């Protein structure tokens, strides 16, 4: 069976034009692809690119005015360098431990005590990365401000102290937002609305009340009296990827494409019935529940077999009765 992801576009191929590239932002256009593919890439960039974040906090001392859970939540949102994050295993897949170890996590220690009369501020720079770790970059707090302080964690008064052990693990934003690699992903197509995918609500003049974006300069506006082409599909998309600092924006895009390729490869593998690499997804392969009572398997029966081995009108309680021994009308079964 043939799987043509971009039907009709093979001769042209995808085309990328980078309009602006900064340390924490990448603005580019993606052409000659399908709308569904472009939107899949956007969703992957937002939720499925793996990064590092503090996931476990062991509180050894906390005499500050903030609760343990409050500080732990703030620590989880501190961006951590995720360069070469592929060197880190997911904790659920780690062969060396059950909770965390040097192969699937990075340990950071935080110890601060205020001894002066003035309020002491604890920043992300006070997090000390412990060795060993998978590589020299992963797990380092991301500090981008001019003073080199990083994110503010808490404030301490004289005599107050915090001492915590933080364990950073690999994850994706689909599990928790603290693993998000981006703060936002701008996505737009057809800035002049020539395809009429949008129906603007307006009071007097839609042109004045809905000003065009900067992307409109990259396309020709519609001509007066131009007939509408119902067969036209969008093929040019504008992306604006803003990183939070744990990964460079170009690395976020490349990782997103890699993740999307892996997911599509798994779908093709399942559709083709090739189970020679059953653990391609890292979880032992996708499979339906089997070995059910009565020899029933999902995907094999006619749609009326339950996991309890009953068929037809029987329930898990046996027969046609309810859990209370009778139907709502008082009979022992339906007449």
């Amino acid at each position: 069976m043939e799987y043509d992801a971009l039907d009709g576009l093979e001769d042209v191929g995808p085309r990328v034009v980078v309009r602006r590239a900064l340390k924490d932002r990448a603005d580019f256009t993606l052409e000659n692809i399908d709308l569904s593919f472009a939107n899949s890439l956007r969703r992957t960039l937002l939720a499925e690119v793996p990064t590092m974040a503090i996931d476990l906090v062991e509180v050894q001392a906390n005499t500050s005015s903030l609760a343990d859970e409050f500080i732990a939540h703030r620590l989880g949102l501190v961006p951590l360098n995720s360069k070469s994050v592929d060197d880190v295993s997911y904790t659920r897949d780690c062969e060396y431990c059950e909770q965390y170890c040097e192969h699937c996590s990075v340990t950071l220690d935080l110890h601060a005590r205020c001894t002066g009369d003035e309020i002491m501020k604890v920043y992300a720079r006070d997090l000390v990365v412990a060795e060993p770790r998978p590589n020299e970059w992963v797990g380092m707090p991301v500090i981008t401000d001019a003073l080199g302080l990083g994110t503010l964690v808490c404030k301490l008064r004289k005599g107050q102290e915090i001492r915590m052990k933080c364990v950073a693990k690999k994850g994706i934003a689909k599990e928790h937002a603290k693993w998000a690699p981006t703060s936002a992903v701008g996505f737009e197509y057809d800035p002049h609305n020539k395809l009429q995918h949008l129906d603007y609500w307006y009071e007097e003049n839609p042109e004045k009340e809905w000003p065009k974006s900067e992307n409109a300069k990259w396309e020709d506006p519609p001509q007066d009296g131009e007939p509408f082409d119902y067969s036209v599909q969008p093929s040019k998309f504008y992306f604006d990827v803003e990183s939070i600092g744990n990964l460079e924006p170009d690395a976020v895009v490349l990782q997103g494409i890699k993740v999307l390729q892996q997911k599509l490869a798994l779908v093709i593998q399942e559709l083709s019935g090739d189970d020679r690499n059953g653990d391609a997804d890292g979880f032992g392969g996708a499979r339906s529940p089997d070995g059910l009572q009565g020899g029933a398997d999902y995907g094999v029966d006619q749609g009326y077999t339950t996991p309890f081995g009953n068929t037809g009108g029987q329930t898990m309680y046996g027969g046609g009765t309810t859990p209370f021994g009778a139907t709502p009308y008082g009979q022992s079964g339906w007449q």
Side-chain angles (χ1 to χ4, degrees), residues 233-245:
Q233 297 293 330
S235 61
K236 185 174 184 179
F237 306 91
Y238 303 89
F239 284 83
D240 190 355
V241 180
E242 184 177 352
S243 170
I244 65 171

Side-chain angles (χ1 to χ4, degrees), residues 23-24 141-151 244-246:
K23 184 178 180 180
D24 58 352
V142 175
I143 300 176
T144 58
D145 59 291
L147 298 178
L149 301 175
T151 306
I244 65 171
N246 47 13

Side-chain angles (χ1 to χ4, degrees), residues 14-20 26-31 218 236-239:
R15 180 170 178 263
V16 179
V17 177
V18 179
R19 302 190 295 180
R20 180 174 53 178
D27 188 348
F28 62 94
T29 63
L30 189 57
E31 301 180 51
W218 289 70
K236 185 174 184 179
F237 306 91
Y238 303 89
F239 284 83

Side-chain angles (χ1 to χ4, degrees), residues 65-105:
S65 58
L66 300 180
D68 296 348
E69 296 82 2
F70 193 96
I71 298 180
H73 180 265
R74 291 185 64 84
L75 289 170
L77 297 178
V78 174
L80 302 180
N81 195 325
S82 301
K83 184 178 180 179
S84 299
V85 73
D86 290 338
D87 295 340
V88 185
S89 301
Y90 285 104
T91 300
R92 57 177 175 264
D93 300 330
C94 187
E95 302 175 353
Y96 304 94
C97 68
E98 295 184 358
Q99 190 174 17
Y100 63 87
C101 67
E102 62 187 71
H103 301 281
C104 63
S105 65

